[in-house]
Every structure is written in structure tokens, then in C-alpha cells.
Amino acid sequence: MTEQQVSRMLKRAHQQRNLLNSIKRRYDNIRKISGPYGADPSMPPISGGEDKDLSYTLAATEEQTTILAKTYYKELYKMRTLEKEIYDLICLCKNEEAKSVLIDRFINDMAWDDIAREHNYSRACVFDYRQRGIQEIAKKSKNFKKSC
């Protein structure tokens, strides 16, 4: 794999996690709308169709939450598969500092500033370790087979 391919794979994990978070927020918002204490006026209305009967609205809410739950678990499976591939790639890196930075960012989903603070590095140093790790992985991953 080239450095660009390794970098794209790592970025894909971050994007997949953002997608999961977005689905979860949407699911939580729908559940909040249909909660036991009534609708939250700050949330968008859910239409049950032409009929204004509450049962249609509740049915539409349940249908949306079911669809979102299925989507969430499908995307979660993709995320776990991708995380395993990324972890296998990161294990190719022998530089412990670079490996730690990559794991914190792409497996543990930490922000760059949090990684710098936890490791007592500057932000520039964190990005340097990230780049060193990607370069080392690219050199050692010539025979690495992607399962995607």
C-alpha cells in the first residue's frame, strides 16, 4: 500500500464513525419526539400521512426508528470490520509513539488536541508521529491484503 492508500483507509474509519454518530443522533431525536412526556417543540414534526390520527404518527415514528436501528447496526458492523483492518495495519508500525498516536486517533476516536495533551506532545509533534507511522506502515504493508 502507498502512503495515500494508508491515509485514505484511516480517514475512512473516522468518516464511518461520524456516520454512526449521525445515525445515533437522528434515532435519539426521533425517540425524544415520541417520548412518554409528549413531543418536544424544538424537534421537527413527524408526519403519519394524510390522516391526523395519532396512531398513524406513532406508527411512522416506530417505522423510522426501526429503519434507523437496522441502518445503525449494519454500519456498526462495517465499522468493526474496518477497525480490525486498521488495527492490523497499525500493528505493522514498530515506532511505539507513532503506534500509540494512530491507535488513539483511529481506534479510540480521540481528538488531536486530546492526544497531544495525554501524551504531553505538541500538536505538531502528534502530526509528525502520525506521518511517521503512515510512512512506516506503507513501507511494511506491500503484502498486506485488504478485505474491503
Side-chain angles (χ1 to χ4, degrees), residues 33-34 46-49 51-62:
I33 290 171
S34 64
I46 296 177
S47 171
D51 196 332
K52 300 298 181 194
D53 187 359
L54 182 59
S55 64
Y56 289 107
T57 303
L58 291 174
T61 301
E62 283 304 313

Side-chain angles (χ1 to χ4, degrees), residues 16 20 68-79:
Q16 184 71 19
L20 282 170
L68 283 170
K70 286 179 182 177
T71 303
Y72 179 81
Y73 287 112
K74 185 176 104 179
E75 296 300 328
L76 182 63
Y77 177 78
K78 286 182 190 176
M79 182 69 213

Side-chain angles (χ1 to χ4, degrees), residues 25-34 38-46:
R25 276 192 308 274
R26 178 71 179 137
Y27 178 85
D28 290 343
N29 286 342
I30 290 173
R31 297 307 292 173
K32 187 177 180 183
I33 290 171
S34 64
D40 182 347
S42 68
M43 304 306 297
I46 296 177

Side-chain angles (χ1 to χ4, degrees), residues 118-130:
E118 183 174 305
H119 293 276
N120 260 349
Y121 298 148
S122 68
R123 191 174 161 94
C125 186
V126 168
F127 286 119
D128 186 47
Y129 280 127
R130 174 189 160 267

Side-chain angles (χ1 to χ4, degrees), residues 73-134:
Y73 287 112
K74 185 176 104 179
E75 296 300 328
L76 182 63
Y77 177 78
K78 286 182 190 176
M79 182 69 213
R80 296 299 179 229
T81 303
L82 186 58
E83 278 181 342
K84 186 190 178 327
E85 286 184 37
I86 287 171
Y87 189 76
D88 291 344
L89 274 178
I90 291 173
C91 286
L92 295 174
C93 184
K94 298 301 178 201
N95 181 329
E96 290 300 320
E97 291 86 2
K99 185 189 291 189
S100 180
V101 165
L102 292 173
I103 287 173
D104 283 345
R105 176 64 178 176
F106 298 105
I107 302 296
N108 299 333
D109 196 34
M110 291 175 66
W112 292 117
D113 291 333
D114 295 337
I115 295 169
R117 196 175 310 111
E118 183 174 305
H119 293 276
N120 260 349
Y121 298 148
S122 68
R123 191 174 161 94
C125 186
V126 168
F127 286 119
D128 186 47
Y129 280 127
R130 174 189 160 267
Q131 192 58 36
R132 285 186 209 173
I134 289 173

